[in-house]
Amino acid sequence: MKITKVEVFVVKIPSIPTASPNTKRYITDDYFINEGRRSCIYSDKLETIFVKVCTDEGIEGWGELLAPTNPEVAAAVIKGHLAPLVIGENPMETQFLWDKMLDTLRERGYTGGYLVDAMAGLDVAFWDIKGKAFNLPVYMLLGGQYRDQLRCYCSSVPGRTLEERLESVDRIVEQGYDAIKIHTFGKGKTADLDMLSAIRKRYTADKLDLMLDGHGKYTHSEAFSLGRALGDLDLLFFETPLTFEDIQGHRKLADAIDTAVAVGEPLRTIYTFRDWITAGALEVAQPDLGRNGITEMMRIAHLAEAHHLAFAPHLSVHQAVGVAATVHISAAISNFLIFEYQPNALKASEQYSTTSFTMNKGTIQVPTDPGLGVTIDEQELRKFVTDYAVIQAAQ
């Protein structure tokens, strides 16, 4: 089997307006930051990149990479670098192709960011092809199915004030979730602790698991004092509380508090995860499919397993393909903890896709269809495509 063509779709879907913080400041027509400590850039739209890989045997695979802003950058990497590299190769050789793509970036130090994100999208498509070729769901090719259901936590708790967020929590619990991740207000440890304490007064730990995502915003003193308080509130984990590069700070925090420290969203390869894991700087590994791909994400899961660490995949604004691929990985690893579920982006993708996994009351039922189990309606998808390219072998 040989790869004959790669198609790249930059997708931007208008999103439903939600309550936003008063600190929101636009830097372009579409992109904004939240004024304050360490805000990344956000988009008013749901942005992603899909790749379709075609073969000489007529089997096609779909991939998705995480591109919440400026997807044109990663798309350019695929169009000008990676797609021409893999044309003519066998998509069944997933590990070989991952290493071949990474090898073309290493000497120049391009082992992170948009470049590895672009690799991830192609890698997911290769696995979709492999599953379809063998008529098996991808998790069977990853080693088998440890579980047929995935416990999820809701990672979307809207609200500008404490009262609005408490109302959102009540609605989420009514929908059947028994785990929720709260994202920092960005107003400091006191406001965040007040919010978590108010939720815990309503729902005890045996009724509702809580997690806190710090988005790298806390100072050392804030993280340590807040982290100690989280133990009394019985949180499941404290995600990225300190600066994203601060391995030693996270190590010291993990040693000092009872709540597990979770890290992974900004990390790309097994080599960066190795540095964090061997330093003792994380206790829950959170690789992101849209930044790691299936091949590398499985290696990260096994590395975490060898160090007796839990695995809780990170998901951001992934749409149908990215979520489905993460479902397959989560079914195929022994150290799975809990699945991050972002309902808004996945719901938006229903306009052009159908998935074979199902969600019911906070639990995902693992699919049995070959490949990833996602069907894309290209005609409907193209309504949201802002940039398209096709790369194929020279005639």
Side-chain angles (χ1 to χ4, degrees):
M1 183 185 294
K2 301 295 182 183
I3 297 169
T4 58
K5 182 172 64 174
V6 175
E7 296 179 61
V8 184
F9 304 80
V10 173
V11 174
K12 299 186 179 185
I13 302 177
S15 58
I16 300 172
T18 58
S20 57
N22 297 324
T23 55
K24 186 173 180 179
R25 180 172 73 83
Y26 280 86
I27 60 173
T28 71
D29 290 342
D30 294 331
Y31 295 150
F32 63 91
I33 62 171
N34 292 318
E35 295 285 18
R37 186 175 174 84
R38 298 196 186 109
S39 173
C40 65
I41 297 175
Y42 299 93
S43 175
D44 268 344
K45 297 181 175 65
L46 296 170
E47 304 188 5
T48 195
I49 297 174
F50 292 106
V51 293
K52 184 173 78 168
V53 175
C54 304
T55 69
D56 59 354
E57 295 186 14
I59 301 175
E60 300 173 347
W62 284 88
E64 181 182 1
L65 57 130
L66 188 57
T69 58
N70 298 301
E72 294 82 4
V73 179
V77 175
I78 298 173
K79 291 185 287 185
H81 181 145
L82 298 177
L85 180 69
V86 302
I87 294 289
E89 297 285 357
N90 185 349
M92 309 288 274
E93 298 183 286
T94 45
Q95 185 68 66
F96 166 75
L97 288 176
W98 178 269
D99 289 342
K100 181 172 184 174
M101 289 189 289
L102 189 62
D103 282 344
T104 65
L105 304 171
R106 279 175 160 150
E107 187 172 349
R108 297 188 175 106
Y110 301 151
T111 55
Y114 290 106
L115 296 138
V116 178
D117 297 351
M119 288 173 50
L122 286 165
D123 180 73
V124 173
F126 300 158
W127 279 99
D128 192 29
I129 290 170
K130 186 184 286 193
K132 291 171 180 174
F134 284 105
N135 198 35
L136 290 170
V138 166
Y139 57 76
M140 293 299 292
L141 303 177
L142 296 175
Q145 184 178 12
Y146 279 90
R147 57 196 62 82
D148 58 14
Q149 291 185 332
L150 306 175
R151 183 190 179 211
C152 301
Y153 67 87
C154 185
S155 189
S156 179
V157 184
R160 187 177 298 175
T161 65
L162 173 59
E163 291 72 23
E164 289 175 354
R165 286 201 175 186
L166 287 173
E167 291 173 0
S168 295
V169 169
D170 290 339
R171 288 195 297 270
I172 292 166
V173 171
E174 289 172 0
Q175 293 167 8
Y177 291 92
D178 61 2
I180 291 175
K181 185 167 77 178
I182 301 297
H183 297 259
T184 178
F185 263 143
K187 299 178 181 178
K189 67 174 184 179
T190 301
D192 293 336
L193 185 57
D194 287 346
M195 176 172 51
L196 291 165
S197 298
I199 296 171
R200 186 53 83 217
K201 286 180 180 178
R202 292 194 188 199
Y203 301 100
T204 56
D206 61 327
K207 300 294 184 183
L208 183 68
D209 268 322
L210 291 176
M211 292 140 276
L212 175 63
D213 189 343
H215 292 279
K217 293 183 181 292
Y218 298 112
T219 64
H220 276 228
S221 60
E222 289 174 332
F224 276 76
S225 59
L226 177 57
R228 293 187 183 98
L230 298 184
D232 294 331
L233 296 175
D234 203 3
L235 262 68
L236 191 61
F237 61 69
F238 190 7
E239 180 176 339
T240 319
L242 300 169
T243 308
F244 301 103
E245 300 84 5
D246 191 358
I247 295 180
Q248 290 305 314
H250 282 88
R251 178 191 64 78
K252 293 175 182 177
L253 182 65
D255 287 342
I257 67 175
D258 294 332
T259 302
V261 172
V263 177
E265 176 181 1
L267 308 182
R268 294 301 194 275
T269 66
I270 194 172
Y271 306 107
T272 50
F273 271 92
R274 176 203 58 196
D275 293 342
W276 281 76
I277 289 173
T278 57
L282 66 84
E283 295 157 305
V284 177
Q286 290 183 295
D288 191 302
L289 181 281
R291 292 176 170 137
N292 307 124
I294 293 175
T295 298
E296 195 75 349
M297 200 161 172
M298 287 298 295
R299 295 209 293 174
I300 294 164
H302 293 151
L303 178 65
E305 179 186 13
H307 288 81
H308 308 287
L309 302 177
F311 179 95
H314 179 275
L315 284 101
S316 181
V317 288
H318 300 70
Q319 297 180 29
V321 177
V323 176
T326 309
V327 167
H328 284 267
I329 293 170
S330 300
I333 58 172
S334 66
N335 51 335
F336 170 79
L337 176 64
I338 197 166
F339 192 95
E340 181 169 14
Y341 188 70
Q342 297 266 15
N344 293 335
L346 186 59
K347 185 172 181 59
S349 69
E350 291 175 356
Q351 300 172 86
Y352 64 80
S353 64
T354 56
T355 60
S356 57
F357 68 84
T358 56
M359 162 68 81
N360 182 40
K361 294 184 178 179
T363 301
I364 286 179
Q365 185 70 38
V366 176
T368 58
D369 291 2
L372 295 175
V374 178
T375 301
I376 301 291
D377 183 331
E378 287 192 50
Q379 184 174 348
E380 291 299 314
L381 175 65
R382 287 180 181 276
K383 294 178 181 178
F384 306 104
V385 172
T386 60
D387 186 37
Y388 169 79
V390 57
I391 305 94
Q392 52 192 344
Q395 300 298 317

